[in-house]
Amino acid sequence: KAGVTQTPRYLIKTRGQQVTLSCSPISGHRSVSWYQQTPGQGLQFLFEYFSETQRNKGNFPGRFSGRQFSNSRSEMNVSTLELGDSALYLCASSLGGVAGANVLTFGAGSRLTVL
Amino acid sequence: GEDVEQSLFLSVREGDSSVINCTYTDSSSTYLYWYKQEPGAGLQLLTYIFSNMDMKQDQRLTVLLNKKDKHLSLRIADTQTGDSAIYFCAETSGSARQLTFGSGTQLTVLP
């Protein structure tokens, strides 16, 4: 079956602009999580969506937002981009159950460069 | 916040065993995970272990968990050049579903 698909794979923006990243989860997966990966901070949790509702949120400023659609596809948006937002943004999907291990399947990521 | 620590680099010879170590601070960790990341790719789940288990084996992979010392290790038997990658340990605790990741260990397999 198809894996987690993220678009675009690469993008370059300038400071002050905004960006929208898209994630299509594995068919049947209802939970989508977003992580930011940078050399300095490593992998950090942004937020998780389940059934179109934000279920969990990491410690990021309000410039970072997301949403999930009825088909479980998710988007994340970063407004007023800063140089420090340059990162690999990883989306992961799972069945979304609250018991047991949280088995995430990751996409290949969207690499954002802010100039 | 809770911490997960790993050494940054490990080099081994092809055919040898690799052991990647991880320590964590959260005493309420419920599941611990090992992920692999190859260049230009996302993370691939290798295995996970429930916190009340001591060991889990899956083909060439053996996970050991010492809950008392909050120490997790991943042993890769007969390491191959294709195993060269960054390995991340991660944990979830309590009812929280987000993963807390370590900084990753870059494994280099020398021919």
Side-chain angles (χ1 to χ4, degrees):
Chain A
K1 56 183 175 183
V4 177
T5 303
Q6 292 188 247
T7 57
R9 288 292 315 277
Y10 303 91
L11 65 166
I12 300 173
K13 295 284 187 178
T14 55
R15 276 180 299 175
Q17 287 187 311
Q18 66 96 25
V19 67
T20 299
L21 308 177
S22 180
C23 173
S24 293
I26 287 174
S27 177
H29 283 191
R30 296 171 64 193
S31 169
V32 173
S33 299
W34 290 88
Y35 288 80
Q36 181 197 62
Q37 185 177 24
T38 60
Q41 299 298 316
L43 280 151
Q44 293 187 289
F45 172 73
L46 281 155
F47 27 65
E48 181 202 7
Y49 285 87
F50 178 79
S51 291
E52 301 179 64
T53 301
Q54 188 180 84
R55 186 160 70 172
N56 206 351
K57 187 177 188 305
N59 191 23
F60 278 81
R63 300 185 297 109
F64 292 81
S65 62
R67 59 179 176 167
Q68 188 180 34
F69 302 94
S70 58
N71 61 357
S72 294
R73 189 177 70 86
S74 176
E75 289 181 347
M76 68 162 283
N77 184 78
V78 189
S79 62
T80 319
L81 284 165
E82 301 175 0
L83 295 178
D85 296 333
S86 294
L88 181 67
Y89 289 89
L90 292 163
C91 164
S93 75
S94 70
L95 291 170
V98 295
N102 191 9
V103 178
L104 298 178
T105 302
F106 281 84
S110 292
R111 183 164 296 281
L112 171 64
T113 302
V114 182
L115 302 176
Chain B
E2 303 304 340
D3 255 346
V4 179
E5 306 250 345
Q6 302 177 239
S7 52
L8 291 180
F9 302 100
L10 176 66
S11 289
V12 300
R13 291 281 178 194
E14 192 173 15
D16 287 350
S17 291
S18 309
V19 179
I20 303 170
N21 294 300
C22 172
T23 57
Y24 59 98
T25 59
D26 189 350
S27 56
S28 61
S29 290
T30 49
Y31 286 91
L32 296 117
Y33 309 77
W34 284 104
Y35 279 86
K36 174 184 180 183
Q37 187 177 35
E38 297 180 88
L43 278 69
Q44 174 195 354
L45 177 65
L46 294 174
T47 186
Y48 63 88
I49 187 168
F50 185 45
S51 59
N52 71 352
M53 296 172 63
D54 299 324
M55 186 182 90
K56 181 178 182 182
Q57 189 154 2
D58 185 358
Q59 300 183 328
R60 291 192 298 125
L61 305 179
T62 302
V63 177
L64 295 178
L65 175 60
N66 181 328
K67 195 171 181 181
K68 174 176 163 290
D69 294 339
K70 299 191 184 67
H71 182 267
L72 180 74
S73 68
L74 174 70
R75 178 178 180 269
I76 305 173
D78 187 26
T79 313
Q80 302 298 306
T81 53
D83 294 323
S84 291
I86 301 176
Y87 290 79
F88 292 92
C89 68
E91 60 96 22
T92 48
S93 65
S95 60
R97 302 300 291 163
Q98 72 267 28
L99 272 65
T100 300
F101 284 89
S103 53
T105 299
Q106 171 77 59
L107 173 66
T108 302
V109 182
L110 306 169

